[in-house]
């Protein structure tokens, strides 16, 4: 065997990244574990678990007898993820920090740190995802700085690496990786690609990672922890009180502290209402948040949306779409939601219109429209515009019908008839 390959593994202190590091070591690689600190504890009133996570990651590295490093991306996270998040909330959108964190931090700053500073041949993470490359192909990739010109050289021979679903379809995390760069993907190993969560836990138990197995699965936004979202966001944004307005009759039914504390489809907490009301729309110019009775009100269902410039994992759009401007594939905008068949139309500016085979509940601006073709995750684009709701279309049909009926009821005088 030749020289030993050096792999830098992102360690979160959780079971997945711990087992990823173990499997890399078993494959005979020289492994370095790195814990990323993205959020500054000093900003907070407690409740963030980063220090405990770091200790857990360090203990795993001790058990595996591999070097451990800690790197801080607090400043980068603040400027490239969190500030962006606040701006999106102010625009009335609901962003996805996990997708942004992978794009800007893990598969950008951390990738460069692994390759340039630590001299790694590849980086690795504990994501449940797969690429179209074998390990050896990953090691043959060399990092090339992105071109300074707007377009890549068309003659550059490049066989893009595909991002594909992991074997555990329930845990599959390609949704969260849908904005990462081709350059980072080319140099990434996903050791858990072919494993299920159950099997990963079994490996962890056999390896003696008991302190990691005891941990609660981390869900939700990392920097909020167990706190109430409304209280958290109001620490950073000025309250902008407004009215809750009924979509049915336009009456004011209550008040809120700011549209950014609410997202489409959630239950609106309004005192004195005997029936549950749900957020169906927001008007950030007036501050009005529109609500409707029942969780499945037609104003919550839509079947078309537009994204901003779409991020294709392969850099260029699929050949079929580039050729005909249209393509059939599958869509999701929430991790683990069932995939929905759709038709994609490519616009001149790189954005896409997505037309769904059925109306979906609470499509939300700011969230990411992630597209799949079979097992392959094609990439994603931020939802910036929604088509009309079922309620709007229904009202339009009713108005049209009423107008037609009025027309039909009008008596028509015949100029050909004269009195005898």
């Amino acid at each position: 065997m030749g020289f030993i390959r050096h792999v830098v593994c992102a360690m979160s202190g959780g079971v997945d990244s711990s087992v990823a590091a173990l499997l890399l070591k078993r494959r005979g690689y020289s492994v370095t574990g790195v814990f990323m600190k993205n959020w500054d504890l000093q900003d907070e009133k407690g409740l963030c678990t980063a220090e405990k996570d770091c200790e857990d990651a360090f203990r795993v590295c001790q058990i595996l007898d591999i070097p451990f490093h800690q790197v801080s991306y607090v400043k980068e996270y603040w400027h490239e993820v969190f500030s962006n998040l606040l701006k999106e909330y102010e625009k009335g959108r609901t962003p996805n920090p996990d997708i942004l964190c992978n794009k800007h931090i893990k598969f950008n700053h951390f990738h460069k740190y692994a390759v340039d500073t630590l001299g790694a041949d590849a980086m690795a993470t504990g994501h449940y995802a797969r690429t179209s490359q074998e390990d050896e192909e990953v090691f043959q990739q060399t990092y090339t700085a992105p071109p300074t010109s707007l377009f890549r050289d068309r003659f550059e021979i490049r066989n893009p690496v595909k991002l594909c679903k992991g074997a555990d379809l329930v845990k599959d995390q390609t949704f969260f990786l849908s904005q990462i760069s081709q350059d980072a993907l080319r140099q990434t190993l996903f050791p858990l690609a072919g494993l299920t969560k159950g099997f990963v836990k079994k490996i962890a138990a056999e390896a003696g990672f008991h302190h990691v197995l005891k941990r609660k699965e981390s869900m939700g936004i990392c920097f909020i922890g167990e706190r109430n979202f409304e209280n958290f966001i109001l620490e950073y944004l000025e309250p902008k009180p407004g009215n809750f307005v009924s979509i049915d009759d336009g009456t004011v039914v209550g008040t809120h502290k700011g549209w950014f504390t609410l997202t489409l489809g959630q239950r609106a907490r309004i005192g004195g209402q005997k029936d549950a009301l749900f957020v169906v729309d927001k008007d950030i110019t007036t501050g009005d948040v529109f609500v409707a009775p029942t969780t499945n009100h037609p104003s919550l269902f839509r079947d078309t949306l537009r994204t901003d410039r779409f991020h294709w994992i392969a850099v260029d759009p699929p050949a079929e779409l580039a050729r005909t401007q249209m393509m059939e594939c599958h869509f999701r905008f929430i991790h683990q939601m069932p995939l929905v068949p759709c038709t994609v139309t490519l616009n001149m500016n790189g954005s896409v219109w997505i037309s769904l085979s059925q109306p979906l509940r609470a499509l939300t601006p700011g969230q990411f429209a992630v597209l799949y073709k079979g097992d392959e995750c094609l990439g994603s684009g931020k939802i910036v515009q929604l088509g009309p709701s079922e309620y709007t279309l229904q009202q339009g049909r009713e108005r049209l019908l009423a107008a037609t009926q009025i027309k039909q009821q009008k008596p028509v005088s015949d100029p050909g008839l004269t009195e005898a």
Side-chain angles (χ1 to χ4, degrees):
M1 184 173 164
F3 61 93
I4 295 172
R5 301 291 189 179
H6 179 208
V7 181
V8 169
C9 186
M11 307 282 286
S12 66
V15 68
D16 299 328
S17 57
S18 301
V19 169
L22 167 70
L23 295 174
L24 291 166
K25 190 173 179 194
R26 280 188 189 166
R27 282 182 204 171
Y29 303 139
S30 157
V31 184
T32 300
V34 179
F35 178 82
M36 274 174 279
K37 183 183 176 188
N38 296 336
W39 192 250
D40 201 341
L41 283 173
Q42 278 97 53
D43 289 356
E44 303 308 328
K45 303 185 174 96
L47 287 175
C48 196
T49 59
E51 278 178 7
K52 172 85 175 76
D53 296 344
C54 187
E55 272 170 44
D56 288 345
F58 176 59
R59 277 179 69 187
V60 169
C61 289
Q62 280 183 312
I63 294 168
L64 293 177
D65 191 26
I66 61 172
F68 173 78
H69 293 258
Q70 185 182 346
V71 62
S72 172
Y73 292 121
V74 170
K75 195 169 85 226
E76 292 84 350
Y77 192 93
W78 179 271
H79 290 300
E80 295 169 49
V81 179
F82 195 67
S83 299
N84 176 306
L85 200 84
L86 295 179
K87 282 190 197 110
E88 288 288 289
Y89 277 120
E90 286 193 301
K91 286 178 187 163
R93 295 176 183 161
T94 304
N96 188 314
D98 298 315
I99 289 179
L100 294 173
C101 182
N102 281 323
K103 178 189 177 87
H104 296 294
I105 309 298
K106 198 171 276 186
F107 290 86
N108 179 30
H109 293 295
F110 178 76
H111 166 238
K112 287 173 184 154
Y113 171 77
V115 174
D116 299 339
T117 307
L118 297 181
D121 297 301
M123 67 172 264
T125 73
H127 286 104
Y128 289 84
R130 196 165 57 82
T131 76
S132 55
Q133 292 190 119
E134 295 298 324
D135 284 15
E136 213 31 61
E137 293 174 277
V138 177
F139 296 127
Q140 281 155 19
Q141 300 288 353
T142 50
Y143 175 66
T144 49
T148 46
S149 62
L150 188 57
F151 299 104
R152 286 189 297 111
D153 179 354
R154 286 279 158 212
F155 300 105
E156 178 193 340
I157 298 167
R158 196 177 172 110
N159 189 14
V161 172
K162 293 176 180 177
L163 174 66
C164 304
K165 294 177 194 166
D168 189 330
L169 294 177
V170 176
K171 279 297 294 179
D172 172 60
Q173 289 171 308
T174 49
F175 177 85
F176 298 116
L177 302 173
S178 62
Q179 281 275 318
I180 69 173
S181 75
Q182 175 67 202
D183 278 323
L185 186 66
R186 291 174 94 79
Q187 291 191 292
T188 300
L189 298 173
F190 295 119
L192 310 187
L195 307 180
T196 61
K197 181 75 179 194
F199 195 64
V200 166
K201 284 182 169 175
K202 191 167 172 282
I203 295 171
E206 285 167 4
F209 298 162
H210 303 297
H211 68 290
V212 167
L213 283 165
K214 284 192 202 117
R215 280 169 49 127
K216 226 172 46 185
E217 189 85 356
S218 62
M219 299 295 270
I221 304 174
C222 49
F223 47 77
I224 294 180
E226 303 294 316
R227 282 171 299 172
N228 168 287
F229 175 75
E230 183 179 295
N231 295 346
F232 174 81
I233 207 73
L234 287 169
E235 283 179 30
Y236 295 93
L237 296 176
E238 287 294 314
K240 290 201 174 123
N243 292 324
F244 280 118
V245 177
S246 163
I247 193 104
D248 287 331
D249 57 16
T251 56
V252 173
V253 291
T255 57
H256 60 80
K257 291 179 185 169
W259 63 81
F260 42 78
T261 65
L262 301 150
T263 190
L264 298 191
Q266 80 170 79
R267 184 171 175 169
R269 293 197 303 275
I270 307 170
Q273 292 293 323
K274 65 177 194 298
D275 296 319
L277 292 169
F278 294 84
V279 176
V280 296
D281 210 350
K282 307 183 204 179
D283 184 338
I284 65 166
T285 50
T286 62
D288 289 344
V289 171
F290 295 93
V291 291
T294 76
T295 182
N296 286 331
H297 191 275
S299 56
L300 272 172
F301 287 81
R302 299 168 195 259
D303 63 4
T304 50
L305 61 105
R306 185 174 67 83
T307 69
D308 61 1
R309 187 179 177 85
F310 202 86
H311 172 81
W312 302 102
I313 296 283
V315 182
D316 297 317
E320 173 194 353
L321 184 61
R323 196 173 58 249
T324 66
Q325 266 66 62
M326 283 184 92
M327 177 181 73
E328 307 278 315
C329 57
H330 284 82
F331 161 92
R332 67 164 50 119
F333 74 105
I334 297 169
H335 171 52
Q336 292 182 331
M337 72 172 263
L339 287 166
V340 176
C342 68
T343 304
V344 177
T345 310
L346 182 63
N347 302 318
M348 290 297 286
N349 63 357
S351 67
V352 299
W353 270 105
I354 299 172
S355 181
L356 304 166
S357 63
Q358 67 199 68
L360 290 184
R361 182 183 184 275
L363 285 170
T364 306
Q367 292 287 301
F368 285 86
V370 184
L371 297 178
Y372 291 82
K373 192 99 170 160
D375 262 357
E376 186 185 354
C377 174
L378 299 173
S380 64
K382 188 169 67 187
I383 300 172
V384 291
Q385 191 182 345
L386 301 176
S389 71
E390 292 292 287
Y391 182 68
T392 304
L393 294 171
Q394 203 174 298
Q395 283 183 316
R397 282 193 293 270
E398 283 166 11
R399 278 198 294 271
L400 195 64
L401 190 65
T404 312
Q405 284 168 345
I406 290 166
K407 236 181 200 169
Q408 286 167 348
Q409 284 163 7
K410 266 189 184 165
V412 179
S413 57
D414 188 339
L417 290 175
T418 53
E419 279 184 31

